[in-house]
Each structure stands twice: as C-alpha cells, then as structure tokens.
Amino acid sequence: MTLTLEDIADMCGVSRSTVSRVINGDLNVSERTRQVVLDVIQKYNFQPNMAARGLAKGHTRILGLVIPKGVQAIFEEPFFAMLIKGVSTRCNALDYSVMLWLAEPDYERRMITKILYNGLVDGVIVASMLMDDTIIDSLQQSKLPFMLIGRHPAHSELSYLDVDNRGGAFQAVTHLLRSGRRRVATITGLQNMIAGIHRYQGYLDALHERDLPVIPELVAEGDFTDTSGYISMQRLLPHKPDAVFAASDTMAMAAMQVIQKYGLRVPDDIAVVGFDDIPEASRITPTLTTVRQPITRIGAVAAETLIDIIETGSTLPRQMVFPAELVVRNSCGAVNL
Amino acid sequence: MTLTLEDIADMCGVSRSTVSRVINGDLNVSERTRQVVLDVIQKYNFQPNMAARGLAKGHTRILGLVIPKGVQAIFEEPFFAMLIKGVSTRCNALDYSVMLWLAEPDYERRMITKILYNGLVDGVIVASMLMDDTIIDSLQQSKLPFMLIGRHPAHSELSYLDVDNRGGAFQAVTHLLRSGRRRVATITGLQNMIAGIHRYQGYLDALHERDLPVIPELVAEGDFTDTSGYISMQRLLPHKPDAVFAASDTMAMAAMQVIQKYGLRVPDDIAVVGFDDIPEASRITPTLTTVRQPITRIGAVAAETLIDIIETGSTLPRQMVFPAELVVRNSCGAVNL
DNA sequence: CTTCTCCGTGGGAGCGCTCCCAAACATATA
DNA sequence: TATATGTTTGGGAGCGCTCCCACGGAGAAG
C-alpha cells in the first residue's frame, strides 16, 4: 500500500494539514516541524496522490498535446518529434506533465470531447494545420485554455504560434532570383494546410517584388510527400525551369533525383531549394539549401505560454510568429551571395 | 462550471448512483431509466471527472511512456515517433491515455520517483536501451507494472519487448557473404546499448558460421550517428573492405558518402548494408539495403501487453522478441539471391 | 394472504487531498 | 494583570466519483 498524507502525519506526530503545508511550501510552519516532516517524506519517498490533489485543487498540472493523425505524412519527418520534445522539456521544467493524444480522424470528435470535459488536463496544445479542422470549434465551446501550433486562417482571435512560412519561402525564392535564376518553378505543399498556402504565397511575393510574371506551367501542386515530389518534378521538367523551390525537403530531394535521372545537374542546370531542414538535407549530395524552422523552440514557447495563460487566467489571445531561416548549402549554386 | 454526476442525476430525477451505473454499464438499470439518463448525458456532453474517478477507483487508465533523453541521437530518427505512434494508437483504442515523459538525465531520478509514486499512471513503458539505467531499479522497487522496450541484459526476469537485432544483423552479413564478399567490415553502434551489442554479435555470428576470421581492422566502433559513420568509414577504407555492415542507416549513409568521395563505387567496389530502414533509405542513390524493425507494432504490443498485466494483475514476466527483416535494395549489389 | 426472491434504486461512507476557520500558545502592548 | 496581536497547529468540510448496504415493490411460491 502506498502512503498517504495522514500516514506521514502520524509518523511525525503532527496533523495532515501540517504535512500538506510543508509539501506546498506554506510559510506558516515552524522550522523545526518542517525539518521533521521533510525527513520523513524523504525517507519514505512520499509523493502526494495526484488524483486526490487534482480533485481538491481543481487543476492537475497536466497539459494535453493533440496531434491530428490526418497529417500522417509528416509523421515520418522530425517535425512532430521535435515539437514533442520542445513541449515536453519545457513542461517538465515547469513541473507540468504532458498527455499525448494522436487523434484518429474517425474517433476524433468523440475523443476530443472526452479530453475537453473530463478535467484531466488544464489546457491543450493543438498541432493542427488543417483548414477545416473541427477541433477548433469544440475547443472554443469548452472553456479550456488552448494554444494552436500554426495559425488558423478563419480565427485570428485565437492564441497561436506559427512559423513565418511566407517569409521563409520569400527568402528562398529571392535567393534564387538574386543568383540569376529566371525560370524559378515551385512544387507547392497541400493547399488545405496553412503552411502549404503560406509557402506558396511567399513564392508569389518574391516574383511580384521583382515584377516577374507567374508562369502557370512552373507551378506544380504537391502534398509534401516524396511521391508527389517525383511526379511534380517530372511534370515541371519539360518547361525548362532553371530552379525549383519545393515546399518540403522531402519533395526537394525527390525533385533532385528526377533532375539527375534525366541527366541534368544540380545546381548547374537546375538549382533546388527545400523547406524544413530535415537532418538528411545536410547529408545528401549536393547538400540541400533549405529553410529552417525553430520547431523545438516553438514547442517550448507553446508550453510556457499556455501555462502562463492557465496560471494567470488571462483571456486575451497570445500570438507569435517565429522567423524561418534560409540555410544556404550547395544545391542552389550560390553559397556566397 | 462543468457538470457533475449529481447534476445529471437531478435533471433525470434519479440518484447519482443510478447515473454512475449507466455510465459504467451496470446491468441493474431498467431500460427506461437508462435511456433517460443517456439522453441527458448526450445532451450536455457530460464526461465524468477523471481525477475523482481515479481517486475513487484507485486506478486512472493512464499509461506512462518514458523515453530517456540520454539517447538523444536517436531522436532525429523515426524510432521514437513510430514507437509513440504505436503506443498511443493502441492505448486510445483500449480507452487508455498516454502520459509522455522525456526523462532528462540530470533530473531523471527525481522525476522517476515522482512518476512512480504519485498514482497518476497505472503502468509504465520504458524505452530504454542503456545498459546502466538506474530507472530499472526504481521501477522494481515501486510495484508499478512496467514494460521494457529492449531487453535489459542484467534482468532477464522482467517483462520486455525486443527486436531480434542479433538475428537481423546476422541476416544482413550473411547476405553479404553469400553474394561473394570476403572482407566484410562493420561499423558498430554504441556498445553500452543492447541494440549496439546485439547487432555486433550478429555480425560475429555470421562470420563464425562460415568459419571466417574476425579481422580487427575491419571493425570500427561507432555510436549510431552520422559523424561517427564518417569517421569510422575513413578509418576502415585503408584496410580494403569489399563490404560494410553499419549498425544504423544513418551511419551506412555516411559511409556511402565517404566511399564515393574516395572515388569508389557502391555497390561495385564496396557493398553497404544498414539497419533501421529509415524513410530516406529507399530514396537515396543507390537505394540502401537494410534491416527493418517493426517499431510501431512493438509499441502497440507493448501497450496492449502492459494493459493486460494491469488488468489481470498477473505477475509473471511477458517477453517477446520480434523478427527483423532484411530489405534488399541496391547498395548491396545482390538483389536477386 | 403471507412469505421469500429478485430486481431496481437511493444514500452513506470513503478515496487522499486542500482550504478555511478556530483553537492554542507565544509575544507585545496598555 | 489584562488585552491585543501574531504565529503555529488541528480538524471539519468538501472536491466528484465508486462501492456497498439497505430498502421498497413486483412477481413467484407456499
């Protein structure tokens, strides 16, 4: 049987209230008593029961992290691992625990309800980038504090953290343009994900800034995956691009394969730039120029901001956009610019 | 304010006991009453408070998943993402939730104590492959049910799930040998991780089976990472291997880079085989022959077995070893064998 | 018509904690 | 000495649920 507060109290010859006080750092305890209690707690490795505490206090110091499974494709990439790492590390540092839910699309609605109303978590971080996500609605109805990773297009009044996908793409394409490329193609990401949309807009921005026309044949719609990178690049090739900006490294790498298969060289014939900076980007030949996002940091800030919202009870939305950084390597053919 | 059992009871004109009964599927409720209660629950989206239930029942239907941060290097690889996915999916299907802890090395001890004694979780899955892990000891002292991913060398009486690393490595090296390679080198993994040790033993097994000598110059100790793959391969090259078995795909890919940098060809001059089957293994050129482990499945089985242990209260250890599968691609130069 | 079951239901007790009020004691002030 | 003030401590109530015992009524058996 595991010990209770009362057991410890008996051993110390004090009341459970006093033990509770020393555990919770209440100042109104004499130094002598505190020491006695602390020793016994130490000795028996006592930990107060979380369920009981949660019930009595009305909060649990647990954060929910919800990752929609719909975005399965991304699961192979380090995105979620890094996000989880960021959230978890910061939570632990602030003495919170994290509850993880990979929301299955079909059960999603039922599951979300369960999460939101059973009082298990004090707040939720939702890593959803889908446009049509119903989670948001449920979230708003419940009064649980929550934080979105990736802004939601229709709800600018919510708290979110996001990467400047548009700015990152803009930088990438601008870099290509400044190094003299004139027929810059793009392989876009899914256009029902904010990230996909924004990266495409960054591409457009860069062209517009230099008054260059958007050539429809040089735009191929992908979905972030390997396969779509292959197909898109094959579709692009006949239109003689001299550079390609892909909305994910995975697609960029697939594109490079296609280019090389057709006897062309990267970057000499066609420059390639990706997005994400996955680990292999720096390992392949030629190394891939890409746009890096501070995902772990975003996870950490999400956790810390949500905890602040919970503890201060503040209701005004927190919004932050993190800069994306262009990492210039060899695949763009313009290291020093 | 969120609703309580009693509120629902009032609305239905019954007692809280009756509401509790219908929620918990007790048979002793008349069909009429059940319907009334069910309707009200539905209407208000009522969910019983988990903390209260946990306190009253003595268990929480929450599983802990502990991943030591010490094995940071692996975090870039899909291993943990897939493990998490497997665990999470199966847990959710069985109506359990999962609590995730990335155990920081320094706080590890304190944190583990907290997890084990605060009654938050009904059991723990520990993804630890380190030899000298103190977690195991703490785990045994507490009486919490737990499950290890990766067997522990010193504690064969515990419950664990593991991949047949040794057999997988054996298959890989044997394949190389059967295709006529005679100077098969290896880049090992960390020798304080079970997986690293077993994969190296598999290499030795394959040589022994054919009465081939172990040539010390053809064995380089790596640590699973990119960098160590580079260094090791450079060290190996002067000793003229005609094949390399690397204990991770990441190292295998680094080795291929080195080989190519020195003007040699894969697989013609040197065949390469990796371990893990990370996504990029099938994307690089030449595609990488490697050993695949069913990680997601292992996560799922771990969850389901642990839940069974919890619910049956059974105390005898459950142990399972999953086969690793050789995936033959181009880097070994022997697709059809 | 009475007695015995059995089914459906209500309510008390208790899970282990926190919070609050009051008691007990010590110290300072009139 | 009497009163006010402050510090330390104890114990009751309550968080929202489950579990168990007991009670009333319907039907079966005597």
Side-chain angles (χ1 to χ4, degrees), chain A residues 95 113-114 257 280 283, chain B residues 45 95 114 257 280 283:
Chain A
D95 198 31
T113 307
K114 199 170 136 190
Q257 298 251 13
E280 56 214 286
R283 294 205 283 254
Chain B
N45 241 232
D95 199 28
K114 200 170 136 190
Q257 298 252 11
E280 56 215 286
R283 294 206 283 256

Side-chain angles (χ1 to χ4, degrees), chain B residues 235-253:
Chain B
R235 195 167 299 155
L236 250 24
L237 227 35
H239 304 289
K240 311 260 179 237
D242 59 4
V244 183
F245 164 63
S248 78
D249 284 354
T250 310
M251 294 194 297
M253 288 167 58

Side-chain angles (χ1 to χ4, degrees), chain A residues 81-102:
Chain A
M82 294 178 72
L83 185 69
I84 289 172
K85 185 174 144 196
V87 171
S88 168
T89 303
R90 186 55 112 268
C91 277
N92 289 165
L94 296 174
D95 198 31
Y96 271 69
S97 296
V98 7
M99 199 104 217
L100 185 71
W101 281 286
L102 304 184

Side-chain angles (χ1 to χ4, degrees), chain A residues 119-304:
Chain A
L120 231 191
V121 300
D122 292 345
V124 198
I125 296 173
V126 183
S128 167
M129 294 131 282
L130 265 46
M131 298 284 285
D132 51 355
D133 215 314
T134 61
I135 291 187
I136 312 289
D137 298 330
S138 315
L139 234 22
Q140 282 189 288
Q141 277 179 40
S142 85
K143 333 166 23 169
L144 253 200
F146 64 96
M147 189 86 216
L148 264 28
I149 307 289
R151 79 195 80 178
H152 192 96
H155 295 287
S156 56
E157 79 286 7
L158 303 178
S159 291
Y160 66 77
L161 256 44
D162 204 357
V163 169
D164 184 10
N165 285 299
R166 190 166 177 171
F170 175 82
Q171 276 182 68
V173 177
T174 297
H175 182 79
L176 253 14
L177 258 16
R178 282 174 55 200
S179 62
R181 309 286 172 167
R182 278 301 159 260
R183 293 182 61 81
V184 179
T186 189
I187 304 175
T188 75
L190 275 176
Q191 294 297 300
N192 75 334
M193 280 201 204
I194 328 296
I197 295 171
H198 283 171
R199 290 175 195 177
Y200 178 51
Q201 283 180 335
Y203 165 82
L204 298 178
D205 290 348
L207 294 181
H208 290 158
E209 200 206 32
R210 311 194 156 229
D211 292 322
L212 295 169
V214 179
I215 306 172
E217 293 85 28
L218 293 184
V219 176
E221 185 170 341
D223 63 4
F224 295 119
T225 67
D226 196 22
T227 315
S228 80
Y230 261 87
I231 297 174
S232 297
M233 194 63 223
Q234 273 166 332
R235 196 168 298 154
L236 251 22
L237 227 36
H239 301 102
K240 310 261 181 238
D242 58 6
V244 183
F245 164 63
S248 79
D249 283 354
T250 311
M251 294 194 297
M253 289 168 58
M256 279 175 46
Q257 298 251 13
V258 173
I259 293 169
Q260 287 163 345
K261 204 173 77 183
Y262 281 82
L264 299 171
R265 289 158 308 159
V266 177
D268 312 56
D269 298 312
I270 303 182
V272 175
V273 178
F275 206 112
D276 288 340
D277 196 25
I278 62 179
E280 56 214 286
S282 58
R283 294 205 283 254
I284 53 166
T285 319
T287 54
L288 183 64
T289 294
T290 185
V291 181
R292 178 188 298 159
Q293 5 177 17
I295 306 173
T296 305
R297 184 160 154 60
I298 289 178
V301 174
E304 134 194 328

Side-chain angles (χ1 to χ4, degrees), chain B residues 46-296:
Chain B
F46 172 75
Q47 284 293 131
N49 180 296
M50 282 317 217
R53 172 180 284 195
L55 180 56
K57 296 190 81 135
H59 58 254
T60 55
R61 292 187 87 84
I62 298 177
L63 254 44
L65 176 54
V66 178
I67 300 178
K69 275 257 205 69
V71 278
Q72 192 86 317
I74 316 191
F75 215 85
E76 290 189 344
E77 291 166 24
F79 185 93
F80 286 113
M82 294 178 70
L83 185 70
I84 289 172
K85 185 174 144 195
V87 171
S88 167
T89 304
R90 186 55 113 265
C91 277
N92 289 164
L94 296 174
D95 199 28
Y96 272 69
S97 295
V98 7
M99 199 102 216
L100 186 70
W101 281 284
L102 304 185
E104 321 249 359
D106 38 339
Y107 294 123
E108 203 158 290
R109 181 128 188 71
R110 203 184 48 135
M111 173 181 287
I112 269 295
T113 307
K114 200 170 136 190
I115 298 170
L116 297 180
Y117 295 100
N118 69 5
L120 231 191
V121 300
D122 291 345
V124 198
I125 296 172
V126 183
S128 167
M129 293 133 278
L130 266 44
M131 298 284 284
D132 52 355
D133 215 313
T134 62
I135 291 187
I136 311 289
D137 299 330
S138 315
L139 234 22
Q140 281 189 288
Q141 276 180 40
S142 85
K143 334 170 16 178
L144 252 202
F146 65 97
M147 189 86 215
L148 265 28
I149 307 290
R151 79 194 80 177
H152 192 97
H155 295 286
S156 56
E157 80 286 6
L158 303 179
S159 290
Y160 67 77
L161 254 46
D162 203 358
V163 168
D164 185 11
N165 285 299
R166 190 165 178 171
F170 175 81
Q171 276 182 69
V173 177
T174 297
H175 183 79
L176 254 13
L177 259 17
R178 282 174 56 201
S179 61
R181 309 286 172 167
R182 278 301 159 260
R183 294 181 61 81
V184 179
T186 188
I187 305 176
T188 74
L190 275 176
Q191 294 298 299
N192 75 335
M193 280 201 206
I194 329 296
I197 295 171
H198 283 173
R199 289 175 196 177
Y200 178 50
Q201 284 181 334
Y203 166 82
L204 298 178
D205 290 349
L207 294 182
H208 290 157
E209 199 205 33
R210 310 193 156 229
D211 292 323
L212 295 169
V214 178
I215 306 171
E217 293 85 30
L218 293 183
V219 176
E221 185 171 341
D223 62 4
F224 294 119
T225 67
D226 197 22
T227 314
S228 80
Y230 262 88
I231 298 173
S232 298
M233 194 62 224
Q234 272 166 333
R235 195 167 299 155
L236 250 24
L237 227 35
H239 304 289
K240 311 260 179 237
D242 59 4
V244 183
F245 164 63
S248 78
D249 284 354
T250 310
M251 294 194 297
M253 288 167 58
M256 278 174 47
Q257 298 252 11
V258 173
I259 294 169
Q260 287 164 345
K261 203 173 77 181
Y262 281 82
L264 299 171
R265 287 158 309 161
V266 177
D268 311 58
D269 298 313
I270 303 182
V272 175
V273 177
F275 206 111
D276 289 339
D277 196 24
I278 62 180
E280 56 215 286
S282 59
R283 294 206 283 256
I284 53 165
T285 318
T287 54
L288 183 64
T289 293
T290 185
V291 181
R292 179 187 298 159
Q293 2 177 18
I295 307 174
T296 305

